[in-house]
Amino acid sequence: MADYLLLLLILLPLIGALFILTIRDDKSETVHNIHNVAIWILTATLLTTLYTFSLLDIEKNGIQLVEKYNWLEFPPVVVLLGADVFSLLLLFSVGLSFFISEICLVRQDIKRPKALIASELLFLGLLNGYFLAADIVSFYIFFAAVSMPLIVLISIYSSRHRKNMIIRLNLYHSIGALLLFVAVITIYTFKGSNIPLNTAGNLNLTGKSEYFVWLAIFFAFISRMPIWPFHYWLTAINSSIRNPLVFVVGNLISLVGLYGFMRFWPNTVPETIAVYAPIFEIISAVTMIFIALIGLSQKDFRYKLFSYTTVYYLLYLIGVFLPTGGLKMNIGYSLFAYLIIITVLSFLISHIEQQKKQLSLNGGGILCYLPRTSVCLSLFVLAGIGLPITPLFWNNFIIVSEIFNHNLILGVTVCLALFIAALSFLEELYRLKDKSFNTDTCIIGKDLTDFEVFIYGGCLVILFFSFFRPLWFVF
């Protein structure tokens, strides 16, 4: 069993997706069965991840578990799967995020549940493969494949007038995958065989091939990040998605680009390319300010949430590019809390949007009629903007400190973007609590159930314990 743990982490969600697609469309039982299958699969994935964690020494860096599979005889291709503390931390974070999402979806009436949940599990399986890939060929395969379920989901759940944007986003992702494919083939040809991911930077490429390979890898990963001038496509699509789970999946696609940089960039980029890093840092910082200001000007809470996620992803991306090279685990701990907070906020915003529609309110003062929702939203907004009892606060503080140490102006710009994003959240929270917009005192909204309050309270407990010991869940 231990010899196939990493493969099992990939296959479990994929098997679950296939099983859901075979469930018969009996309206009285289908949705119930789909949710049951998804919850059991996600539970099994999380437990397997925890067991895999127990086999690692959390004090050590580098890959500690390796599984090797012969894929092709000619050309000889050997697939390597590997796990270290960082990759398993991200894998556990994403799995926990989907588990929370699935628990919250159980009592909701959702459109086309079979397509939604099957695509969710397919995305999770491919993303797990991406995190565990330890050679350049399998890394590319999962990088290219993980976008497919996202395209399916946004095609179904985004508004119809965004179809042209979806086509452009698909084309953009395809170009990124093509660039990485050409880079991988070039490395494969140069070396003569498939090579481990952590040794790719040891290749002595020279001349034009050096520029071509690393710039292709750079733009391949950038194709998954919401950075200027390509951020508009993701912005236009995500702002039109009202399904909270699809929003979470769309938000995770940026993690694919960030993880790619964290695996390739700090240790492998040659000096001839590294000289352009300050230009990219400026573009990232300007994008952070621009997106944060747009979020501040918007009245749509979901758009503000997208603005917030963009600012934080770019913060972590700047941290990756710092010459210190020692922030990987701090970014991982921040992402752990960040993904939980984004998931819960997405579902809370969805609940508020549903109540606004049913009560025919514009949003102002609606939280006065939803006391439980008000408390939960307030706590998670405070956690999101830096409540000093979560790992998001402490590890972001370390990342920002390193940015200041690297470049004072860059640090000031990043802090300004974070401040504007926090102000945007607080402004919306105030508006939702300000009852002066509505004079009717007889409004009765549907508040959170005891079960939902229990789930969100459990998420707060997880965040609280993560502050004192980020890997508290490791045996």
Side-chain angles (χ1 to χ4, degrees):
M1 178 67 176
D3 295 335
Y4 300 97
L5 275 177
L6 304 184
L7 182 62
L8 187 62
L9 287 171
I10 300 172
L11 292 181
L12 273 173
L14 298 181
I15 293 172
L18 180 62
F19 187 79
I20 286 175
L21 291 175
T22 62
I23 295 178
R24 296 179 58 184
D25 290 322
D26 181 359
K27 293 183 180 179
S28 61
E29 296 292 338
T30 297
V31 176
H32 179 72
N33 292 337
I34 287 173
H35 284 303
N36 283 342
V37 171
I39 289 173
W40 280 110
I41 289 294
L42 291 170
T43 302
T45 303
L46 288 174
L47 292 177
T48 305
T49 306
L50 289 176
Y51 178 71
T52 308
F53 250 123
S54 70
L55 302 178
L56 301 184
D57 182 351
I58 61 175
E59 301 297 330
K60 287 185 178 180
N61 296 321
I63 293 177
Q64 300 182 45
L65 293 179
V66 177
E67 295 177 10
K68 183 177 180 181
Y69 301 96
N70 294 322
W71 187 19
L72 296 176
E73 295 294 335
F74 185 81
V77 176
V78 177
V79 173
L80 295 178
L81 300 178
D84 59 4
V85 176
F86 176 69
S87 62
L88 279 185
L89 176 61
L90 290 186
L91 195 147
F92 183 79
S93 303
V94 173
L96 185 60
S97 176
F98 278 129
F99 181 79
I100 296 169
S101 299
E102 194 59 43
I103 292 294
C104 295
L105 279 176
V106 168
R107 303 190 180 191
Q108 293 190 16
D109 183 19
I110 56 177
K111 171 187 174 185
R112 301 181 67 175
K114 181 184 288 190
L116 175 65
I117 306 304
S119 297
E120 169 202 11
L121 293 179
L122 177 61
F123 181 85
L124 177 61
L126 294 174
L127 192 59
N128 287 353
Y130 182 68
F131 289 150
L132 296 175
D135 65 90
I136 61 172
V137 173
S138 57
F139 188 82
Y140 162 73
I141 292 172
F142 287 112
F143 173 84
V146 78
S147 295
M148 293 189 297
L150 171 65
I151 299 299
V152 172
L153 287 173
I154 62 178
S155 299
I156 297 174
Y157 292 95
S158 65
S159 59
R160 294 182 179 179
H161 67 280
R162 300 296 187 188
K163 295 301 181 184
N164 289 334
M165 285 295 174
I166 296 173
I167 295 173
R168 294 178 187 178
L169 180 67
N170 192 15
L171 177 63
Y172 186 41
H173 280 200
S174 299
I175 292 173
L178 178 61
L179 287 172
L180 186 59
F181 174 76
V182 175
V184 167
I185 290 299
T186 303
I187 295 175
Y188 188 94
T189 303
F190 180 84
K191 184 67 176 180
S193 62
N194 190 14
I195 62 174
L197 191 61
N198 58 0
T199 64
N202 297 328
L203 297 174
N204 295 319
L205 300 173
T206 57
K208 294 182 179 179
S209 62
E210 183 179 48
Y211 278 93
F212 176 79
V213 167
W214 295 109
L215 286 177
I217 291 173
F218 174 84
F219 284 109
F221 296 144
I222 283 296
S223 69
R224 303 303 191 264
M225 300 294 297
I227 191 168
W228 183 89
F230 310 110
H231 66 281
Y232 176 70
W233 297 342
L234 275 176
T235 304
I237 291 172
N238 280 21
S239 62
S240 68
I241 295 175
R242 298 302 166 187
N243 185 292
L245 176 57
V246 180
F247 184 87
V248 170
V249 174
N251 177 63
L252 286 173
I253 202 66
S254 297
L255 183 59
V256 173
L258 180 65
Y259 183 81
F261 277 116
M262 297 186 79
R263 279 303 187 204
F264 265 101
W265 210 252
N267 299 320
T268 60
V269 61
E271 289 296 328
T272 52
I273 306 298
V275 294
Y276 298 103
I279 299 176
F280 180 69
E281 290 173 352
I282 293 172
I283 294 175
S284 299
V286 171
T287 303
M288 290 175 69
I289 293 288
F290 180 70
I291 293 294
L293 287 172
I294 292 179
L296 183 63
S297 66
Q298 292 288 325
K299 299 299 182 183
D300 184 353
F301 203 174
R302 193 164 294 278
Y303 194 101
K304 291 179 182 289
L305 181 60
F306 172 76
S307 172
Y308 169 85
T309 60
T310 300
V311 168
Y312 273 75
Y313 269 128
L314 293 180
L315 166 67
Y316 302 139
L317 185 59
I318 292 175
V320 170
F321 272 79
L322 292 181
T324 56
L327 294 175
K328 186 168 72 171
M329 288 310 300
N330 295 109
I331 293 174
Y333 296 145
S334 282
L335 283 170
F336 176 76
Y338 165 88
L339 292 177
I340 294 175
I341 292 170
I342 292 302
T343 301
V344 173
L345 284 177
S346 180
F347 279 88
L348 286 173
I349 292 172
S350 179
H351 177 75
I352 294 172
E353 289 173 342
Q354 292 173 6
Q355 295 308 302
K356 285 167 56 178
K357 184 177 180 180
Q358 293 177 7
L359 300 174
S360 300
L361 295 176
N362 62 2
I366 190 173
L367 290 182
C368 297
Y369 312 107
L370 307 171
R372 290 181 170 184
T373 306
S374 177
V375 171
C376 289
L377 183 66
S378 300
L379 289 175
F380 277 96
V381 165
L382 291 175
I385 64 177
L387 189 68
I389 57 170
T390 69
L392 191 68
F393 164 79
W394 177 244
N395 290 284
N396 282 356
F397 177 80
I398 295 175
I399 296 168
V400 172
S401 298
E402 289 294 335
I403 294 175
F404 266 106
N405 187 52
H406 172 64
N407 187 300
L408 178 62
I409 297 177
L410 181 63
V412 171
T413 306
V414 167
C415 281
L416 180 60
L418 294 176
F419 173 77
I420 296 173
L423 184 63
S424 176
F425 263 8
L426 292 176
E427 178 203 33
E428 184 65 15
L429 186 61
Y430 172 79
R431 189 178 74 87
L432 293 174
K433 288 176 176 287
D434 186 4
K435 197 167 60 173
S436 62
F437 291 97
N438 299 301
T439 58
D440 190 348
T441 58
C442 299
I443 296 175
I444 300 177
K446 182 182 178 182
D447 208 352
L448 296 177
T449 64
D450 292 339
F451 178 75
E452 290 170 324
V453 172
F454 174 77
I455 295 299
Y456 297 148
C459 293
L460 286 173
V461 171
I462 291 173
L463 293 176
F464 180 76
F465 279 106
S466 300
F467 178 77
F468 297 100
R469 183 183 177 189
L471 294 175
W472 58 270
F473 47 84
V474 178
F475 299 146

